[in-house]
Every structure is written in structure tokens, then in C-alpha cells.
Amino acid sequence: MKLHIVNRSPASSHVYAQAVTAMGPEDRLLLIEDGVQGALPQLIRYYEDIPGRLYALHEDLEARGLLGRCDASVQVVDVDGFVQLTEEAEQTVSWY
């Protein structure tokens, strides 16, 4: 299992498409920095092909005033959760 990390919003970058296309059936995707905008209900459609495997970083949601506004399908994790996802992954791939 790989952990894919995306730091750009799907509204402003096509990096999300490369990450989703590269994902295997067990891989997970973590949204960080401006990428957490993809967790909003109006942008979640970009990640509809990976249900149950989409995460957003709590601290970045909070910093952007988006905490509590995520789509219900997004799992919010804090820094400790980020570390845990990284430890569980065989490989981490960052998409910038």
C-alpha cells in the first residue's frame, strides 16, 4: 500500500488527477496544505473514485478555516494520524 500526498487544490491544479490515476486499489490519499480544499463537498467529485481512502490533515483544514466543512466521506487526521498513515505505507509519493 502506498500513501499519496497532494498539496494543491483540485480547483487550481491537475496534480490530483495524476495522483488518483497512479493509485492502486489499496492506496490511500492524504490532502495537505491547499490540497485540503479538495475535501469540501463542492470539490469532492475529483476524488469520487477512491471512496474510504481519502484523508485530510486537520491542522491544514483549521489554518484555512475549513474545519468542520469537509464532505462526510473524508477522514480527517491530525499530525499523529499523518505519521500513522506514513508508517502503514510501504511507500509515500508526494504530488506537487
Side-chain angles (χ1 to χ4, degrees):
M1 184 267 294
K2 294 179 186 175
L3 175 64
H4 298 262
I5 302 171
V6 172
N7 77 332
R8 296 191 183 173
S9 169
S12 64
S13 173
H14 293 287
V15 167
Y16 78 89
Q18 294 169 334
V20 171
T21 301
M23 288 181 68
E26 301 297 320
D27 292 355
R28 299 173 182 169
L29 192 144
L30 175 65
L31 303 174
I32 64 168
E33 300 171 1
D34 286 341
V36 298
Q37 294 174 20
L40 297 173
Q42 61 267 34
L43 296 176
I44 198 68
R45 69 183 179 275
Y46 294 104
Y47 301 108
E48 64 190 2
D49 292 338
I50 56 168
R53 299 182 289 139
L54 181 61
Y55 300 80
L57 189 61
H58 177 277
E59 288 79 359
D60 287 334
L61 288 165
E62 186 173 44
R64 288 157 180 78
L66 302 176
L67 198 57
R69 297 178 51 199
C70 291
D71 187 83
S73 66
V74 178
Q75 300 176 58
V76 177
V77 295
D78 59 11
V79 172
D80 290 336
F82 185 170
V83 171
Q84 183 177 350
L85 287 170
T86 303
E87 289 174 342
E88 293 171 356
E90 296 169 13
Q91 183 179 9
T92 301
V93 182
S94 296
W95 299 90
Y96 294 98

